[in-house]
Structures are given as structure tokens and as C-alpha cells.
Amino acid sequence: MLVIANLLTVEAQEKQENMITNPFLQAYDTPYNVPPFDKIKNEHFKPAILEGIKRHEAEINAIANAAAEPTFDNTILAMENAGELLSNVNVVFSNLNSANTNKEIQNIAKETAPNLSAHRDNIYLNEKLFARVKALWDKKETLGLNLEQAKILDNSYKDFVRSGANLSDSDKVILRKINGELSLARLEYGQNILGET
């Protein structure tokens, strides 16, 4: 029993050390904020993706549950600016996966695809968040938005609708299942094409 407890303690310490030394979880100390490719290792991707999802979910929930009336800044702009860590990791990971992949990177992609799919669904099927976006979209003519802001609002609203925000609860469950299956099928298809070429 003591051996198992010690192994769990060692494993927890290694996980914490990985989080501390993970270059994605530190401010980039590089010119033009370029990712520090010389420090990034394959084992950094999955923890950084999962942490990015966790942080992005917290940001999205804060927007969705805000007590203040929805405005362009506290809803649409806040959503646009959320998820910086996840975006940073995905840019590096997806480019490496498509341009310089290997079995380990492909396995990480398979492991994280369902998490990323579920995360996307959690955003676009969030009823409170969609209610805020729809409230703004319904009165867009009176908000005094410039052309760029109006386009971003319009795109945000359409993204929610096209991603199933207006579906019934039972249809949302079905959609989540389909999206999860598609995320893996799309990934496997891309990897098969890459393997053949």
C-alpha cells in the first residue's frame, strides 16, 4: 500500500514539474512572441491542450454567467479574446502535426481530438452564452457598431446557429455524439492520406 502511495506521489510531482517547465504555460521570452520551438517537446502538448481547454472554459463561463447586460465588448469581444493559451498550443501543434508529424504527435492528436470536440460543443451549445449573443444580434441595428464589429457579431451569431444552438436538448445530445465521432474520423482520414503519400 505504501509503495502505491509513493508511486502516486512521484507521479503527481512529475506532473507538477511538467506543468512548471512546460513552455506553453510560461510567457514566451522570444522576439515577436514566437513560440520557443527549441524548448517544446511532444510531452508538453497534451497537458498544455488540456490546461488550455480548462482556462478557456473558465473564461467562457464567466462571459456566459456575467450579471451585466450583454454588450459587444463584454460578450462578443470577450469571446474573441478568450482562449489564448489553447490557441497558442493549437497553432504550434496543428502545424507540426501537418508538416512534421510522427507517431507520437499523431497519437496525441487522437487522444485530444475528443476533448477539443467536446470543448467546442460546450461553447456553441451553451444556452446562456447563446442568449447573450442572440440578444445583441436581435438589436444589432441599434448598437451603433462599426462595419467590422457588425460583421464579427453576425459571424458569431451564425456560428452558434450553424453549430446547433437552436436545437432541442435531445438533438444536442445526438449532435455532440456525431461531432465526437467526426473529430476522430476526420483525424484518421487525414492521417491515412498522409500515410499513403
Side-chain angles (χ1 to χ4, degrees):
M1 196 69 156
L2 184 59
V3 173
I4 293 172
N6 286 340
L7 286 174
L8 292 175
T9 303
V10 169
E11 187 178 306
Q13 287 174 339
E14 287 175 356
K15 185 177 180 183
Q16 185 177 8
E17 286 173 14
N18 188 17
M19 295 299 271
I20 292 170
T21 59
N22 192 320
F24 290 114
L25 304 179
Q26 317 300 320
Y28 294 167
D29 187 20
T30 56
Y32 308 108
N33 205 32
V34 172
F37 289 101
D38 59 322
K39 297 178 182 173
I40 296 171
K41 298 177 184 171
N42 288 346
E43 67 255 23
H44 294 140
F45 287 115
K46 185 176 178 182
I49 289 170
L50 297 178
E51 180 65 19
I53 289 172
K54 181 179 163 186
R55 291 184 190 182
H56 195 201
E57 280 180 353
E59 292 168 331
I60 291 297
N61 287 334
I63 297 165
N65 296 313
E69 285 293 312
T71 65
F72 181 85
D73 286 349
N74 73 15
T75 303
I76 305 301
L77 188 59
M79 286 191 314
E80 289 286 314
N81 290 328
E84 182 180 9
L85 172 59
L86 186 58
S87 177
N88 287 346
V89 179
N90 274 335
V91 164
V92 175
F93 184 71
S94 62
N95 280 305
L96 280 178
N97 191 24
S98 61
N100 190 27
T101 195
N102 57 47
K103 282 290 182 195
E104 190 177 0
I105 288 176
Q106 290 177 343
N107 286 336
I108 293 167
K110 284 181 184 174
E111 290 171 14
T112 57
N115 302 89
L116 291 167
S117 176
H119 176 58
R120 186 180 189 285
D121 285 340
N122 289 341
I123 293 171
Y124 286 108
L125 301 179
N126 184 318
E127 292 179 11
K128 290 181 181 178
L129 187 62
F130 179 56
R132 292 180 70 84
V133 173
K134 187 176 185 314
L136 292 170
W137 192 79
D138 286 342
K139 60 181 181 181
K140 62 185 174 188
E141 306 299 335
T142 65
L143 296 176
L145 302 177
N146 63 36
L147 287 175
E148 183 181 14
Q149 291 170 325
K151 183 65 176 169
I152 293 170
L153 172 57
D154 193 53
N155 286 346
S156 293
Y157 176 75
K158 288 177 181 175
D159 286 345
F160 273 87
V161 172
R162 291 171 181 161
S163 297
N166 282 326
L167 292 174
S168 68
D169 288 344
S170 59
D171 286 342
K172 286 179 182 177
V173 171
I174 295 168
L175 179 65
R176 283 178 184 273
K177 185 175 184 298
I178 291 169
N179 286 342
E181 291 170 359
L182 280 176
S183 71
L184 286 173
R186 188 180 306 118
L187 185 64
E188 287 175 15
Y189 176 77
Q191 289 179 354
N192 289 341
I193 293 291
L194 183 64
E196 286 300 310
T197 55

